[in-house]
């Protein structure tokens, strides 16, 4: 079947199981082919083909609500709901979103991107249904990785308490991005190996048959023993004890077994969790054999060989620079420990983990725990480095505020993916952290202009013991500067003039500096001299340099790859205002009050007006207005 022609899932109602199995093969071939060109979350989606087919066969979306936790595994759902013809634009500018998107389809009832939200949302939908006396099923699909998220456990607590009719599908493939970790994972593994229980049960039944029946005594004792056995070996009891009926484990690639379990769950009263066992990457050998998470989210690849098609990078990834610097420092400094909330692969921390297996902690999808775990380590004079994506750090805001900053603990927060990330879109852009970190007392925030300054910032942060320090760095690779100079500490709060100029001063940091330098070169051809300052400390500001700039009196333009509201530019306005300096021309460029969808970073910068051309135009406008302002000022004062 040409799956790009599917308009809606209704056709499944008339399909036989064997036809559906054939369709599963067509969908897998489609995904492997399309994603070889676009990249995307291949392995998660190959693992849920039968599951998604069975869901759309048994349930009636969109009347019945199907929710996808994280949502990175919703491509099959998108194919079945009429979007197969858009996969050439997957995760591209103005193209198909890589996560559920309510504006894309009525079948996308819940948007995600961040993990562990589906259970809370599903309960909300179930309560609304009951209060309005409506009648539909609510089904949330959550992975074994997402189940480790604190929100999921909070929701399970309430779901068991409220006892609403709803169905949770636990998609257990033993993987988060990397192999899943934690006690919950171990519990699920015990269930997976439930044949121990089945074997014991068979032996018991055999034994019972061998002994001449002494009335019901032995039989009932044996039944009690069987229940005890089940209690001990088959840990679905974790859910049962919460008041959630546990079904499973069910083979997640067996359509009949899946559909039977769904139909059984529909008849059950109250919340039901169906524990489904799937294989991540099923149907594509390189992804099936992936034991580290390489095929969780990929770029384009060659189908035959599984070789990734990657441009040769001129410089290492910023994440790798951080790993390598930490690895180098940790050889001497035994205080250093590294914490990652389930992003060891994304943050390229494998090297550190290999050399220091007892000093790298992957805590699962548990950002709040990760932050306060770091705080606890710091109270005992360790030097914890919390390596966390900017976007996922949003989950740990109160822990950074309440536990780390308020107690002024020496935690290093390595803020990975700071700035625009591109294809993951609105839920993943790292553009809010300056706004929410800047207001926290005791916290230093810095961002290097290149990979060499980043390594020196990590060195500075490790050696500083004046309190918490956040070091931001972007997704992607450095700019190709040398990194062979000895590590040295930066003076906290010190900025750096990287280009002289008399007409306008631009304050920028991180990748924006390269864009500003390009604009300065463009402006020079028009006879405009632009001074560029590497404002590498977002907090504290370089108040000495700012006072010197005020004395010069030339216009100041701030440029940041982040939200304007509460951002770096705002801090400059606040600084001058608080100094009583009101007549300086200060303008800000950044992201103005919107969520930024998916696309390449360059396309997004262009859409946001943050390219070198935009900066050039803005500088010229400022100079023109300044002349104008001066004319007005002269007119007023004369
Ligand atoms: C709050 C949050 N932290 C981290 C991530 C990054 N992330 C995306 S998918 C994923 C693994 C999810 O594992 P699982 O739920 O088991 O789904 P699978 O990919 O195995 O199908 C992680 C850690 C995220 N999306 N949200
Ligand atoms: C779905 C999810 O949240 C992760 O897989 C994320 O897409 C990883 O992002 P990077 O590709 O930047 O590591
Ligand atoms: Mg998983």
């Amino acid at each position: 079947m040409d799956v790009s022609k599917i308009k809606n899932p209704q056709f499944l109602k008339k399909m036989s199981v064997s036809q559906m199995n054939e369709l599963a093969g067509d969908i897998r071939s489609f995904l492997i082919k399309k994603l070889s060109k676009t990249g995307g979350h291949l392995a998660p989606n190959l693992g849920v083909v039968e599951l998604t087919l069975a869901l759309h066969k048994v349930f009636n979306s969109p009347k019945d609500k199907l929710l996808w936790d994280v949502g990175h595994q919703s491509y099959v759902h998108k194919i079945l709901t009429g979007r197969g013809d858009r996969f050439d634009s997957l995760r591209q500018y103005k193209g198909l979103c890589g996560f559920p998107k309510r504006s894309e389809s009525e079948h996308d009832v819940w948007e995600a991107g961040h993990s562990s939200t589906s259970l809370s949302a599903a309960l909300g939908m179930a309560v609304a249904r009951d209060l309005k006396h409506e009648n539909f099923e609510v089904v949330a699909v959550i992975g074994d990785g997402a189940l480790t998220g604190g929100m999921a456990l909070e929701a399970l607590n309430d779901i068991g308490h409220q006892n609403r009719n709803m169905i949770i599908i636990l998609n257990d493939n033993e993987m988060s991005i990397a192999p899943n970790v934690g006690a919950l994972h171990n519990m699920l593994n015990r269930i997976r190996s439930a044949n121990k229980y089945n074997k014991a049960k068979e032996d018991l039944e055999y034994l019972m048959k061998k002994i001449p029946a002494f009335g019901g005594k032995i039989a009932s004792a044996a039944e009690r023993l069987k229940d005890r056995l089940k209690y001990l070996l088959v840990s679905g009891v974790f859910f049962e004890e919460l008041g959630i009926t546990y079904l499973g484990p069910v083979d997640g690639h067996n359509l009949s077994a899946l559909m039977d379990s769904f139909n059984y769950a529909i008849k059950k009263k109250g919340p039901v969790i169906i524990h489904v066992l799937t294989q991540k990457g099923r149907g594509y050998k390189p992804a099936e054999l992936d034991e580290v998470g390489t095929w969780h989210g990929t770029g384009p690849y060659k189908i035959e060989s599984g070789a990734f098609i990657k441009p040769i990078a001129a410089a290492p990834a910023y994440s790798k620079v951080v790993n390598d610097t930490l690895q180098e420092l940790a050889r001497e400094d035994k205080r250093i420990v590294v914490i990652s909330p389930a992003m060891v692969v994304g943050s390229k921390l494998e090297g550190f983990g290999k050399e220091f297996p007892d000093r790298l902690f992957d805590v699962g999808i548990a950002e709040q725990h990760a932050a306060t775990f770091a705080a606890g380590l710091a109270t005992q004079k360790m030097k914890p480095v919390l390596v966390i994506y900017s976007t996922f750090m949003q989950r740990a805001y109160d822990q950074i505020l309440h536990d780390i900053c308020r107690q002024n603990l020496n935690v290093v927060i390595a803020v990975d993916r700071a700035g625009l990330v591109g294809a993951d879109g609105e839920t993943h852009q790292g553009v809010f952290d300056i706004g929410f970190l800047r207001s926290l007392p005791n916290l230093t925030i810095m961002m290097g202009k290149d990979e060499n300054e980043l390594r020196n910032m990590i060195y500075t942060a490790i050696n500083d013991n004046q309190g918490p320090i956040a070091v931001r760095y972007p997704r992607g690779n450095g700019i190709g500067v040398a990194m062979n100079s000895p590590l040295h500490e930066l003076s906290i709060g010190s900025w750096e003039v990287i280009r002289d100029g008399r007409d306008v001063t631009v304050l920028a940091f991180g990748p924006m500096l390269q864009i500003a330098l390009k604009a300065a070169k463009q402006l020079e051809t028009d006879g405009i001299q632009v001074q560029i300052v590497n404002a590498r400390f977002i907090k504290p500001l370089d108040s000495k340099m700012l006072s010197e700039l005020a004395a010069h009196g030339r216009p100041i333009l701030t440029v940041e790859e982040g939200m304007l509201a509460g951002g770096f530019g705002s801090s400059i306005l606040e600084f001058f205002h608080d100094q009583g300096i009101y007549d300086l021309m200060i303008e800000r460029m950044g992201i103005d009050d919107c969520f930024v969808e998916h696309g390449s970073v360059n396309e997004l910068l262009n859409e946001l007006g943050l390219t070198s051309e935009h900066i050039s135009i803005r500088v010229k406008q400022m100079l023109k207005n300044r002349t104008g302002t001066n004319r007005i000022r002269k007119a007023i004062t004369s």
Side-chain angles (χ1 to χ4, degrees), residues 41 70 72 99 113 177 296 343 346 389 392 417 424 428 475:
H41 287 94
V70 182
H72 63 310
F99 302 94
I177 291 181
H296 169 84
M343 300 310 287
Y389 284 27
F392 303 142
R417 285 9 181 226
D424 273 334
H428 284 64
R475 185 177 197 276

Side-chain angles (χ1 to χ4, degrees), residues 143-145 171-176 180 280:
D144 55 316
N171 173 33
D172 178 6
N173 52 25
E174 298 186 82
M175 296 289 279
S176 183
N180 202 4
K280 199 162 182 176

